[in-house]
Amino acid sequence: AQRVTQPEKLLSVFKGAPVELKCNYSYSGSPELFWYVQYSRQRLQLLLRHISRESIKGFTADLNKGETSFHLKKPFAQEEDSAMYYCALSWGTDKLIFGTGTRLQVFP
Amino acid sequence: DTEVTQTPKHLVMGMTNKKSLKCEQHMGHRAMYWYKQKAKKPPELMFVYSYEKLSINESVPSRFSPECPNSSLLNLHLHALQPEDSALYLCASSHPTGRGARTEAFFGQGTRLTVV
């Protein structure tokens, strides 16, 4: 069955430290992978998607089909990056499922 | 307008009540979703409508009944719910762009449902 795994429930770093939020997926075909972010008291919103191959707010993510991973990285964390991050998988044209989420805490 | 609007924001209902959650988008998206999110958990997919037809039902109990009256509206009718159905219900929409790809999913703020 299709699944998204985020092994860390909580990741705490200090401002300026590098950040890597891990995401692994299980799907045998050609998936679409996304990172969604939920800031405190805000709605869930897209951070980035693998087909765009762009950097948003300093975050990047590379799809590694061999390792079935889509880890989210940022070289220098900022306090405003503190939020809940969900890795998501889409296939076909309709289904979109989420991983368990990682809460990122960035301390000053 | 890039918003998905959900009403009401909060709802308290008894186990014998019938109520409806509403979702609206005016982005021309033709896929609309209902998700259930319990505290400290990820959103769980419930239903997907594609071009106003139900395309996915993730084995949701029949006390939840979705409806898509037109391409902009999505309802979730609730009847005889249980206290464990208390959760945040999220609506989302997206649009297929061809070749199996789609736009990002835009989410509403959610309806916080409490069943007493």
Side-chain angles (χ1 to χ4, degrees):
Chain A
Q2 292 78 11
R3 182 178 291 180
V4 180
T5 304
Q6 292 179 249
E8 303 130 334
K9 282 189 176 178
L10 175 65
L11 186 62
S12 299
V13 301
F14 286 101
K15 176 183 172 181
V19 168
E20 183 178 42
L21 284 73
K22 295 190 185 333
C23 172
N24 287 91
Y25 66 92
S26 58
Y27 179 66
S28 56
S30 295
E32 272 196 83
L33 274 297
F34 306 82
W35 277 98
Y36 279 81
V37 60
Q38 193 165 31
Y39 300 103
S40 180
R41 301 184 189 282
Q42 293 189 27
R43 66 184 68 197
L44 198 57
Q45 59 187 285
L46 179 72
L47 179 62
L48 52 79
R49 59 195 304 178
H50 88 272
I51 61 172
S52 302
R53 303 182 70 81
E54 55 189 351
S55 173
I56 304 292
K57 298 184 180 183
F59 285 97
T60 59
D62 290 317
L63 178 61
N64 185 324
K65 289 189 177 180
E67 295 182 0
T68 59
S69 68
F70 188 56
H71 303 327
L72 183 68
K73 299 177 184 178
K74 184 169 183 176
F76 308 104
Q78 303 298 314
E79 288 178 69
E80 55 265 29
D81 296 329
S82 296
M84 194 72 183
Y85 291 80
Y86 292 102
C87 183
L89 166 68
S90 179
W91 69 97
T93 56
D94 291 342
K95 213 156 187 177
L96 177 67
I97 63 170
F98 290 85
T100 48
T102 298
R103 179 165 297 284
L104 175 63
Q105 288 183 331
V106 182
F107 294 110
Chain B
D1 183 1
T2 57
E3 274 215 350
V4 174
T5 304
Q6 291 187 243
T7 55
K9 287 190 168 55
H10 301 274
L11 178 62
V12 179
M13 61 184 291
M15 287 188 283
T16 58
N17 291 160
K18 284 186 181 180
K19 295 286 184 184
S20 297
L21 309 185
K22 297 187 183 302
C23 174
E24 192 167 2
Q25 57 89 13
H26 296 288
M27 294 177 277
H29 290 173
R30 302 308 294 272
M32 295 186 77
Y33 309 75
W34 280 116
Y35 286 85
K36 174 182 178 179
Q37 187 175 25
K38 301 281 270 184
K40 300 188 189 297
K41 297 288 186 185
E44 291 178 30
L45 184 63
M46 298 175 72
F47 302 105
V48 182
Y49 273 83
S50 181
Y51 292 90
E52 294 94 70
K53 291 189 178 163
L54 184 65
S55 62
I56 294 174
N57 176 343
E58 292 287 270
S59 303
V60 179
S62 59
R63 57 186 185 269
F64 295 91
S65 175
E67 179 196 19
C68 190
N70 61 55
S71 60
S72 300
L73 294 174
L74 184 67
N75 298 321
L76 186 62
H77 303 298
L78 314 172
H79 174 55
L81 295 195
Q82 303 297 310
E84 58 265 29
D85 296 322
S86 299
L88 182 68
Y89 288 84
L90 296 171
C91 174
S93 71
S94 70
H95 194 68
T97 59
R99 290 177 288 177
R102 56 178 47 256
T103 64
E104 68 186 85
F106 288 80
F107 282 82
Q109 287 274 34
T111 294
R112 188 160 299 282
L113 174 68
T114 303
V115 182
V116 296

